[in-house]
Amino acid sequence: MAVDVVVIGAGLAGLRAATRLAESGLEVELLEASDAVGGRQRTDEVDGFLLDRGFQILNPAYPAVRRWVDMPALRLKTFPVGVRVRRADRSVELRHPLRHPTGIPATLLSGLVTPRDVAALARWLGPALVRPKTVISGPDRTLAEGWDRTGIRGALRTEVLEPFLTGVLAEADAETSDAFARLLVRMFALGAPGVPERGMGALPAQLAASAGRAGAGIRIGARATRVRTSTARIDVDVDGGDALRARAVIVAVGPEAAGDLIDIPRPETRGLQTWWFAPDAAPPASALLAVDGRRNGPIVNTVVMSHSAPSYAPPGRHLVQATCLLSTEASEADVRRQLAEIWEVDTRPWQLLRRDDIAHALPAQPSPLRVASPAQVGDRLYVAGDHRDTASIQGALVSGDRVARAVLRDLGTTRPPAGAG
Ligand SMILES: Cc1cc2nc3c(=O)[nH]c(=O)nc-3n(C[C@H](O)[C@H](O)[C@H](O)COP(=O)(O)OP(=O)(O)OC[C@H]3O[C@@H](n4cnc5c(N)ncnc54)[C@H](O)[C@@H]3O)c2cc1C
């Protein structure tokens, strides 16, 4: 079979690329090795609970999400914007002062934020809020160095920012790019993240429906085993099926698998582990994401999903997630003990529904920040994915679109994509 473009991998990047190409009138075949689209964004229904494959959230402030995702259709269930911090003697809540003004007194009384901290935070985050482009193009350093330079220290750093960003960046040493971290925190300041009513998997499902409507063929359970280029053509071998011939191939298989098909260095990745629990009776009262400022155990964040997204649990039940770094040895006993300390409830009767170990959750994002790697890596051969742009939903979508535009330019298609801004 011959088509214009074969896209390998139906994660967010591959789905966005296939949609753009099909909307431009090209014949596109999308190959997905697993049993459904979505890649790292999948949701399973387990005993009436919705379990994402690893806790993650969707920020509607991401420009790529605003542009290419039908957010009303996903019915986002947003979390309150703030964080609950377990301190040595008590728990305190910090809320976004503009979104939850009633939380300001508690924030001021928390003992975590002094006027000096507010000034340091403004020095660190201000440029990203006001002129994000200068953060992208300016000098970069590690996050730890960025905090040192701007004077972020004390409890705000050790009990709030470090534990919170450990979960977001999937690393505990603040060695990620300072610019990347600031741009991410900017998004938290601007958006109210949440989860789609039917789980994170609803996002790629929506993108796949758009790709299908635009005319892209999507083959599930179709693993590409080899990409063969010659001067005149490019072929993709498919496990157990006929090879596909194309004018161009986009490899969008995720950071751990790209090196199996094309000759690029394997990007460093970071792993996360999520534990899903169903409390027996009344769950912890707070709907805020909680971190452990004492760092007394493997958990980097935990939240009662069903307070903000009741659809994640059957009627009358609740769902709690607890996330750890995969690199940390976490026993179930450790997790239950720390959860009990964070939420101040007895977690021994909680039912463990599932544990997700995601070895390649996020590509590392070292300093200096590199926002885009080349779209093309060989004759007729392109590569897309979050590891080529930035480690996020935003990065994956932008990458897919950017690479599709490069293919369109090279194949000489001039027809504008339907509905694209
Ligand atoms: C636990 C966790 C938490 C996260 N939290 C957040 C968050 O809160 N916010 C955020 O913005 N991002 C988050 N992310 C990151 C986000 O999910 C990813 O950046 C994004 O989904 C990556 O999409 P992708 O298309 O680049 O790659 P992938 O999703 O990895 O897609 C690659 C696809 O290629 C397929 N494939 C692989 N090999 C082959 C082959 N040989 N043939 C055919 N198909 C193949 C795979 O099955 C997969 O479907 C998180 C990720 C994880 C795992």
Side-chain angles (χ1 to χ4, degrees), residues 250-268:
I250 299 177
V251 174
V253 296
E256 75 284 9
D260 297 341
L261 293 172
I262 50 175
D263 187 19
I264 59 164
R266 187 174 289 262
E268 193 189 335

Side-chain angles (χ1 to χ4, degrees), residues 5-9 17 21 248-252 380-384 400 403-404 407:
V5 187
V6 171
V7 180
I8 308 175
L21 293 166
V249 169
I250 299 177
V251 174
R380 302 158 194 270
L381 188 56
Y382 303 78
V383 57
V403 171
V407 170

Side-chain angles (χ1 to χ4, degrees), residues 7-15 31-42 53-59 62 167-168 184 188 200 219 222-226 252-258 260-261 270-274 323 356 358 360-363 384-388 390-397 399:
V7 180
I8 308 175
L12 300 184
L15 288 165
L31 306 179
E32 170 52 49
S34 71
D35 59 355
V37 301
R40 275 167 275 165
Q41 297 212 305
R42 297 278 302 267
R53 295 196 185 166
F55 168 64
Q56 48 181 305
I57 52 175
L58 174 58
N59 192 331
Y62 279 142
V168 174
L184 263 186
F188 281 109
M200 290 300 291
R219 296 193 197 181
R223 174 175 297 278
T225 54
R226 200 149 74 106
V253 296
E256 75 284 9
D260 297 341
L261 293 172
R270 308 199 186 286
L272 289 169
Q273 178 180 71
T274 300
T323 291
D356 291 327
I358 318 281
H360 307 286
L362 290 169
D386 61 348
H387 59 109
R388 305 296 287 177
T390 53
S392 64
I393 293 167
Q394 160 77 12
L397 289 171
S399 179

Side-chain angles (χ1 to χ4, degrees), residues 189-212:
L190 298 180
V195 288
E197 186 176 57
R198 296 313 302 163
M200 290 300 291
L203 169 58
Q206 181 191 98
L207 299 180
S210 301

Side-chain angles (χ1 to χ4, degrees), residues 395-415:
L397 289 171
V398 162
S399 179
D401 197 72
R402 184 171 66 84
V403 171
R405 281 185 279 119
V407 170
L408 289 169
R409 189 190 56 229
D410 295 350
L411 295 190
T413 300
T414 52
R415 209 179 326 166

Side-chain angles (χ1 to χ4, degrees), residues 138-191:
D140 197 10
R141 51 192 65 85
T142 67
L143 177 56
E145 288 163 351
W147 282 338
D148 289 344
R149 273 172 65 99
T150 48
I152 293 188
R153 56 180 80 95
L156 177 66
R157 174 163 169 175
T158 59
E159 295 190 42
V160 185
L161 291 174
E162 280 179 1
F164 176 71
L165 285 173
T166 294
V168 174
L169 303 171
E171 61 102 354
D173 299 321
E175 60 187 26
T176 296
S177 150
D178 179 54
F180 179 65
R182 287 194 285 164
L183 294 168
L184 263 186
V185 174
R186 170 180 196 267
M187 283 295 130
F188 281 109
L190 298 180

Side-chain angles (χ1 to χ4, degrees), residues 60-74:
Y62 279 142
V65 169
R66 288 211 303 266
R67 195 159 179 198
W68 297 311
V69 177
D70 178 357
M71 285 303 294
L74 292 181

